Amino acid sequence: MIDFTVLGYVAAFCTTCSFVPQVFHILKTGDTKSISLAMYSCFVFGVFLWLVYGIAMQDWPIIVANAITLMLASMILLLKVRDVARAKKAPPLSV
């Protein structure tokens, strides 16, 4: 018989860890050009709502996965927002 709580934790581990390479890549290269600000904004909000849902349901795999994913995805979003703000402040390139 399958222990569905363990299955939930394994699924949470896989989906949450998928963000780690992206965070390290951005921290190492500083490159966020290929990341969609709208997509990550929507995604972070969705993860936040999943976290609220997990807390309301007292579902620990959902709580743990979404708390960690929210932290990682928020880092990516904040770095993207920082780069967008910097690009708006930069003077236009003259030809």
Side-chain angles (χ1 to χ4, degrees), residues 2 10 28 39 59 66 76 95:
I2 296 175
V10 171
K28 181 179 176 183
M39 177 271 179
D59 189 324
N66 286 290
I76 294 170
V95 180

Side-chain angles (χ1 to χ4, degrees), residues 28-89:
K28 181 179 176 183
T29 66
D31 180 20
T32 63
K33 287 179 278 195
S34 64
I35 293 175
S36 166
L37 180 59
M39 177 271 179
Y40 256 85
S41 297
C42 185
F43 180 75
V44 167
F45 184 64
V47 171
F48 170 75
L49 293 177
W50 272 115
L51 177 59
V52 171
Y53 173 81
I55 292 168
M57 297 291 110
Q58 298 180 3
D59 189 324
W60 283 102
I62 291 175
I63 294 168
V64 171
N66 286 290
I68 296 168
T69 301
L70 182 61
M71 188 175 54
L72 294 169
S74 293
M75 285 179 63
I76 294 170
L77 179 61
L78 290 173
L79 291 168
K80 177 63 177 181
V81 168
R82 177 200 67 186
D83 291 348
V84 167
R86 284 181 181 172
K88 288 183 178 181
K89 289 181 183 178

